[in-house]
Structure formats: C-alpha cells, structure tokens
Amino acid sequence: MEFESRVLDDAEDFVEQHFEEKVSKDHVFHDIEHVKEVVESAEEIAMGYELEDKELELLLIAAWFHDTGYDKGPDGHEERGCEYAKAFMAEYDFTEEDKELVCKCIMATKMPQDPDGDLPSILADADMSHLGKKSYWDRCGKIRQEMHLVKNVIMSEQEWVDFEIDFLTNQRYHTDFAEELYDKRKHKHIRQLIKQKLRLSPAEYESPESISKKDLTIKKKAEEFNKKKYNKDYEIKELRLGRGVETMYRTAYRTHVNLSAMADNKANIMLSINAIIVSIVISTLVPQFDTDTKLIMPTVTILIVCLVAMFFATLATRPKVTEGRMSRDDIENRRGNLLFFGNFYKMPLDEYDWGMRELIKDSDYLYSTMTKDLYFLGIVLAKKYRFLSICYNVFLYGLILAVLVFAITYML
C-alpha cells in the first residue's frame, strides 16, 4: 500500500533531519533505518484494517516520530516523541483529538507494551516487526552494540542468546494481522537461538539436574514450537487467522458470486435469443413448407441448433435439489456445511441455531467449512461454464452451418 500525503512527506523530511543533527550515532539500532522500517510495517499491518485516510495519516505520523525522543537518550523518549509530534502537527490543520491519538500511538510502543485500540496496537506491533523479519539478525546485532555504546552493558555470547530467547518468547503481537505476517518467522528465530544456545553450552544439557528452571522453560517452549505449532501436519486451528485471511475469504466469496451471476446472465441471454429465433422461424418459415420445400432442411437445421443451445443454457442455470437437512451427528463430527442453504432449509430453527453456535465456537470447523464451501462453489461454477461453453459453441457454429445449408439448398 502506498499512501501519499504532503504532511507525511514533510514528516519524513523533518525526522530524517532530526536524526541526522540531534540523535547520537551511538544509537545504531534506534536510527532512521529503524524508523523507516516501522513506518513500512505500520502500512503493511494497516492493510488488514479498513482505515480511513485520516486514520492512516495519523498512524504514520506517530510511526515517524515514535523514536525522535532518542535525541536525549532512551529514558522518557516516548514522551519527548509525543511533544515533537505535537509541535510538528501544530503547523497543520490537526485537532487536539488528532494530536492525542498520535501520542497514544507513540506511548503504545513503550515497554512493556500495553496498547489500547486499533491504531496503537498496529504501531506497537510495527515497532516489534523486525523480530519476525529476515532483517532480525542484523537488527539483533545492532541493538546489542547500542546497549554497549549507550548503557555500557556488555554481555557474553551465552548471556546475549539467553536475553534474546527470553525477550522473543515473552513478546506477543497485539493484532491478528501482525501475527499472520511475523509470528511464524519469529518462532523460527527462537528455534535458531535455542540451537545456538545448545551449541554454546552443551554440557549444561547432559543431564536434567544441570538444567536451570529458566532453561527448562526455554527448552519446553522450543519443543512446543517444533512438535506442535510448526509441525508440517498442524491443524488449521493452530493458525492465528486474522484480517488478512478474512479478507481473502471475503474476496474469494465475492468473486465466486460475481462469476455465478455472470454465468446466469449469459445463460439467460442465450435462452432469450434462441427463443426469439425459434418463434420467428416457426411463425414465418414453417408455414411456407407447402409452397417452398427448399426451406425444410435449413429451417430444421436452425431449429435443432437453437433447441440444443437452449438445452445447454438451461442446464447451466438449473438448480440442484438437495436434501436440506443435516443431522446432529454430521455437525458433531464436523462433516456438515451449514453455510449453504441447501443443507439446512428443512432443519428446525433450534437445531440450525445449535449447529451455527458449534460452527462459530470451533475456528478449525469454521474455516474448514468456508474452505469446503468455496471448493464446491468452484465445482458448480466449473459445471456452469462448461455447459455455457458448449451452448455458445453450438450457437456459433450451428448458425454458420444453418446459413451454409440455406446457401447450398438454394444453389443446388
């Protein structure tokens, strides 16, 4: 998504100059590159929300200013970032509510994160997005370097790996869309860090007695990630399905419905055209058979063509009669599709209500049902378009044949 705004262009110029002139080069992690990455991630996560242009503009202003307070060090940098953002926004047509919302977003990045609302949650997740990106290892090295330069914190390799494992395992994204974008790779990084930890200190893991409680927790989490969450055969219910997935299903449903409507419209066109041709031929040409026998063969040809085309057009629109009832056993065993009316129109209301509640409670069943529904909609569409293709081919080549028969009959 690319959002254009003069205010955002000015904010980018202001923040770049601010970092160049006022923020110490010792902040090798909290630099302008980090800010740009957060802005990009905020835009990426915002795609999962139906934000108005004004909301997106305020979110990205907050993203640009969230670390500007590092000009006076890490302590209290969020509050200073709020003040800088407010001063910048005062030059433009923003209300006090707009400024407060931007500050709320900036404060949502403060550790430990506790955002309240969609926009603050998006920015909080964007600030941690590097944990689930390929750039993690580069950014990881830079934050270690920054801690040494700014806070004089020196960690051994083992201490640093422990610190990172602890931080990543306790960090949680606040939006479904961020989880979908970054969580899988973040847990991949956790597994890699644990492997690195085991290489650094294999002796610690020779016996259970030598493992600390903290290390046991880390190993247990690693086993869960390896055996359950990211097993190749994981159930769909283990996925954290967010707005991106919902958008995908909504778009797919809309596309199927539109294609079905187009197919029905095309079939109706063919039925109308062929019905008109048949009525004209029967009323004008058939009565002339007694006086002009040459009309018999071409007339019969065109009538056959029209009837066959109408036959396939009717097949394309003919509804399928279904049983209209599902048993409780089908629902309990997660076999039924309650999203298609043909499966429930004969069910009592209380049974249908119970079935829908079961569907809503089980996300695995819900998404599995939606997937099956899309699949069978596709099967029906394929059948419709196959009949339509035959119908149009019969009509096209049949008309050409009828004209040729007319021509040959009168030439001979």
Side-chain angles (χ1 to χ4, degrees):
M1 175 174 59
E2 206 168 298
F3 179 70
E4 294 183 1
S5 164
R6 183 178 66 85
V7 176
L8 292 179
D9 291 339
D10 293 347
E12 180 178 2
D13 294 338
F14 178 90
V15 172
E16 285 183 343
Q17 184 177 0
H18 180 84
F19 270 83
E20 180 65 30
E21 296 176 356
K22 299 182 179 180
V23 178
S24 170
K25 302 303 179 185
D26 288 345
H27 294 292
V28 292
F29 175 83
H30 294 97
D31 56 2
I32 190 61
E33 294 306 317
H34 167 68
V35 173
K36 289 181 177 179
E37 185 176 21
V38 170
V39 172
E40 180 183 330
S41 297
E43 283 191 284
E44 192 174 31
I45 298 169
M47 291 177 67
Y49 294 78
E50 295 179 359
L51 298 182
E52 297 179 358
D53 288 349
K54 183 66 174 292
E55 291 178 311
L56 182 56
E57 187 175 57
L58 295 176
L59 171 66
L60 297 183
I61 289 173
W64 278 113
F65 278 88
H66 81 286
D67 275 347
T68 50
Y70 268 90
D71 59 343
K72 296 179 182 177
D75 295 335
H77 75 272
E78 294 90 359
E79 289 80 359
R80 288 191 295 276
C82 287
E83 295 305 316
Y84 295 149
K86 285 183 177 180
F88 171 81
M89 294 172 72
E91 303 295 324
Y92 301 89
D93 188 23
F94 288 104
T95 65
E96 287 301 317
E97 290 77 12
D98 293 337
K99 296 175 185 176
E100 290 304 319
L101 180 55
V102 167
C103 285
K104 188 177 180 181
C105 291
I106 293 174
M107 294 305 298
T109 64
K110 189 171 185 176
M111 301 300 295
Q113 292 182 342
D114 186 24
D116 178 22
D118 286 343
L119 297 189
S121 296
I122 291 172
L123 186 57
D125 287 348
D127 195 32
M128 294 289 113
S129 62
H130 66 282
L131 301 179
K133 291 184 176 181
K134 292 181 180 179
S135 61
Y136 165 73
W137 297 106
D138 175 61
R139 304 307 297 173
C140 175
K142 287 186 176 182
I143 198 168
R144 183 181 182 184
Q145 183 182 0
E146 181 176 310
M147 290 174 68
H148 170 56
L149 294 173
V150 177
K151 298 182 178 180
N152 199 29
V153 174
I154 301 174
M155 295 185 187
S156 67
E157 191 69 22
Q158 183 68 61
E159 290 172 334
W160 176 252
V161 171
D162 286 342
F163 174 82
E164 280 296 291
I165 292 173
D166 186 59
F167 183 80
L168 266 69
T169 52
N170 287 301
Q171 187 273 338
R172 293 291 181 270
Y173 289 112
H174 305 91
T175 63
D176 292 337
F177 204 65
E179 285 183 346
E180 186 179 333
L181 288 170
Y182 311 125
D183 223 31
K184 185 172 182 178
R185 187 175 291 276
K186 185 191 81 171
H187 288 100
K188 179 181 178 182
H189 293 151
I190 293 174
R191 295 197 303 277
Q192 291 171 330
L193 284 166
I194 290 171
K195 288 180 181 178
Q196 187 175 349
K197 177 181 176 65
L198 294 175
R199 285 197 299 269
L200 289 169
S201 55
E204 291 183 17
Y205 299 96
E206 288 178 357
S207 64
E209 294 78 11
S210 63
I211 306 177
S212 67
K213 291 183 179 180
K214 181 178 179 181
D215 290 336
L216 274 172
T217 302
I218 291 171
K219 280 199 75 179
K220 184 178 179 182
K221 288 183 178 181
E223 290 169 359
E224 289 175 357
F225 295 140
N226 282 320
K227 294 181 180 179
K228 182 180 178 183
K229 192 173 183 71
Y230 291 103
N231 189 294
K232 291 182 180 178
D233 299 322
Y234 57 73
E235 296 286 340
I236 195 169
K237 64 185 176 184
E238 294 294 335
L239 296 174
R240 295 178 178 180
L241 300 166
R243 289 179 180 266
V245 176
E246 293 169 6
T247 301
M248 181 270 291
Y249 275 106
R250 184 165 56 249
T251 303
Y253 270 112
R254 187 184 301 119
T255 301
H256 280 66
V257 170
N258 289 341
L259 287 172
S260 182
M262 288 171 58
D264 292 339
N265 189 43
K266 291 176 184 292
N268 288 330
I269 290 172
M270 292 304 297
L271 285 170
S272 300
I273 291 174
N274 283 281
I276 292 170
I277 293 174
V278 168
S279 62
I280 292 173
V281 168
I282 291 176
S283 62
T284 58
L285 297 182
V286 172
Q288 299 181 40
F289 284 178
D290 293 336
T291 58
D292 190 354
T293 56
K294 293 180 180 179
L295 289 173
I296 296 176
M297 185 58 69
T299 301
V300 171
T301 302
I302 197 169
L303 286 174
I304 292 173
V305 168
C306 290
L307 289 173
V308 172
M310 291 175 71
F311 172 76
F312 284 104
T314 303
L315 287 180
T317 56
R318 185 178 65 172
K320 180 182 178 181
V321 179
T322 55
E323 183 180 347
R325 186 183 182 90
M326 285 173 52
S327 65
R328 280 182 170 256
D329 183 63
D330 289 332
I331 298 171
E332 288 172 352
N333 289 289
R334 304 307 191 239
R335 292 195 299 265
N337 175 13
L338 286 170
L339 300 181
F340 176 58
F341 80 96
N343 293 335
F344 64 77
Y345 70 91
K346 288 184 179 179
M347 290 176 64
L349 177 59
D350 58 338
E351 284 191 18
Y352 176 70
D353 180 68
W354 173 81
M356 287 300 291
R357 290 177 185 274
E358 290 294 307
L359 179 66
I360 293 168
K361 285 192 296 185
D362 189 340
S363 61
D364 180 32
Y365 184 28
L366 173 62
Y367 283 99
S368 175
T369 300
M370 291 171 67
T371 301
K372 290 176 182 176
D373 198 37
L374 282 174
Y375 174 79
F376 288 112
L377 280 173
I379 296 295
V380 172
L381 275 178
K383 186 180 293 186
K384 280 178 178 282
Y385 278 91
R386 185 171 69 251
F387 287 142
L388 272 179
S389 178
I390 296 172
C391 172
Y392 273 82
N393 286 333
V394 167
F395 184 72
L396 173 63
Y397 297 113
L399 282 183
I400 295 174
L401 176 62
V403 171
L404 290 176
V405 171
F406 265 107
I408 293 171
T409 301
Y410 277 91
M411 286 174 63
L412 296 177

